Amino acid sequence: MILLETKKFVVVLIGAILNAIAMNFFLIPANVYASGFTGVAQLLSSILGGFASTGILLFVLNIPVTILAWKKVGRSFTVYSFLSVFLMSLFLELIPVIHVSEDILLNAVFGGVIAAVGVGMTLKWGASTGGMDIVAMLLSRMKDRPVGTYFFTLNAIIIITAGFLYGWEKALYTLVTLYASTRVIDAIHTRHEKLTAMIVTKKSAELKQAIHDKLVRGITTIPAKGAFTNENKEMMIIVITRYELFDLERIIKDVDPYAFTNIVETAGIFGFFRKD
């Protein structure tokens, strides 16, 4: 357990450093904006004329969201997400802003890719980079509805504001950054809000109990039989959010490391998928 937590801390640390490098070496010098709360912090810093830095504003914006997440979401997720935000804010202050390239397209692409690697690593290990990720988690727990609309709305506001402040060309380059970051996060983790896990196991009772202890999710079980061994098994079907994927993987590994699990994208659901 200690080794796992240490690895998780190291991953969150590296993710925060990568995000800060992407911001201070590429996006901030080129006036190209990141997505979510990081982009909002950039905008506010520009509007305030540098009176408050992006790092400080990012930290301040995440405080109320973290308080809500502590009450509504798992504490482990909240602690590591806040740690990610704190470290990123710290590195944004410590790492100097450097003009690596004068080519705005290179800044947009490399900034988006490097930031996405940091975000993808953090998500893969059961934390987030705060801001809109935590808001999405809250909405997923409170309402079984897609949250893509909220991401789109916030990022649309960022792009439109960037257009008014720096010209529409900068806004279009911001779109390039968002596209590049989304594709990389797809490759490392997933941007899909909901996933369906199909788990074939001989330890369905123990696995069901472990999942219910950790996740507030309903489970459907179907009788199954191994084609080669003719052993009786069960297939468990569960819909989860992308933020719960790490926890589900750890539960399966601890309870039944020989279970066969298939994770697929869920385009949409009807009805509730939480445990009553």
Side-chain angles (χ1 to χ4, degrees):
M1 180 62 71
I2 296 177
L3 180 60
L4 176 63
E5 296 300 323
T6 302
K7 288 182 178 179
K8 196 170 181 178
F9 173 79
V10 171
V11 169
V12 169
L13 176 66
I14 294 173
I17 293 173
L18 289 175
N19 271 283
I21 289 174
M23 295 292 295
N24 285 357
F25 285 8
F26 299 99
L27 300 183
I28 290 178
N31 289 322
V32 175
Y33 291 92
S35 63
F37 275 29
T38 307
V40 173
Q42 281 180 270
L43 279 174
L44 290 176
S45 181
S46 299
I47 293 171
L48 294 174
F51 177 76
S53 66
T54 299
I56 293 175
L57 289 170
L58 177 64
F59 183 78
V60 171
L61 286 171
N62 275 279
I63 291 175
V65 176
T66 303
I67 294 173
L68 284 174
W70 180 265
K71 296 178 180 179
K72 301 291 184 179
V73 189
R75 291 188 175 184
S76 176
F77 174 85
T78 305
V79 167
Y80 279 102
S81 297
F82 185 75
L83 177 62
S84 174
V85 171
F86 172 77
L87 290 173
M88 182 177 173
S89 299
L90 177 64
F91 289 126
L92 281 171
E93 295 300 310
L94 296 178
I95 298 174
V97 176
I98 299 174
H99 290 260
V100 176
S101 172
E102 296 299 325
D103 190 318
I104 188 171
L105 182 59
L106 288 177
N107 284 321
V109 172
F110 277 92
V113 169
I114 293 172
V117 171
V119 172
M121 289 172 55
T122 305
L123 287 172
K124 195 173 182 66
W125 277 80
S128 78
T129 52
M132 280 303 294
D133 277 335
I134 292 182
V135 172
M137 182 64 165
L138 288 169
L139 292 172
S140 295
R141 288 291 180 88
M142 295 168 61
K143 301 178 180 180
D144 294 324
R145 298 176 182 175
V147 297
T149 302
Y150 297 93
F151 280 101
F152 175 80
T153 301
L154 180 62
N155 289 329
I157 293 172
I158 292 172
I159 292 168
I160 292 171
T161 307
F164 279 114
L165 287 177
Y166 296 106
W168 295 106
E169 185 180 67
K170 294 292 178 70
L172 293 176
Y173 281 116
T174 297
L175 275 176
V176 172
T177 298
L178 297 181
Y179 176 78
S181 62
T182 298
R183 298 298 294 176
V184 173
I185 291 174
D186 272 344
I188 297 175
H189 188 251
T190 175
R191 289 289 291 187
H192 306 305
E193 304 306 331
K194 292 184 175 64
L195 307 166
T196 297
M198 292 174 282
I199 310 162
V200 180
T201 177
K202 292 187 291 185
K203 299 181 178 180
S204 60
E206 298 95 319
L207 202 50
K208 279 187 285 188
Q209 186 60 51
I211 291 173
H212 283 157
D213 288 343
K214 185 74 174 180
L215 307 176
V216 187
R217 293 286 174 252
I219 302 172
T220 299
T221 59
I222 302 173
K225 179 176 286 190
F228 292 105
T229 63
N230 285 321
E231 288 183 302
N232 290 320
K233 302 179 181 181
E234 278 193 322
M235 182 170 71
M236 305 168 60
I237 302 175
I238 177 174
V239 178
I240 58 173
T241 66
R242 61 173 174 162
Y243 309 97
E244 295 166 316
L245 181 57
F246 176 82
D247 286 332
L248 182 64
E249 289 175 347
R250 303 310 305 178
I251 291 169
I252 295 172
K253 184 176 180 180
D254 291 340
V255 176
D256 185 6
Y258 297 102
F260 174 81
T261 305
N262 184 25
I263 306 292
V264 297
E265 171 194 350
T266 300
I269 60 170
F270 299 94
F272 296 98
F273 69 114
R274 292 174 295 180
K275 184 181 73 172
D276 293 332

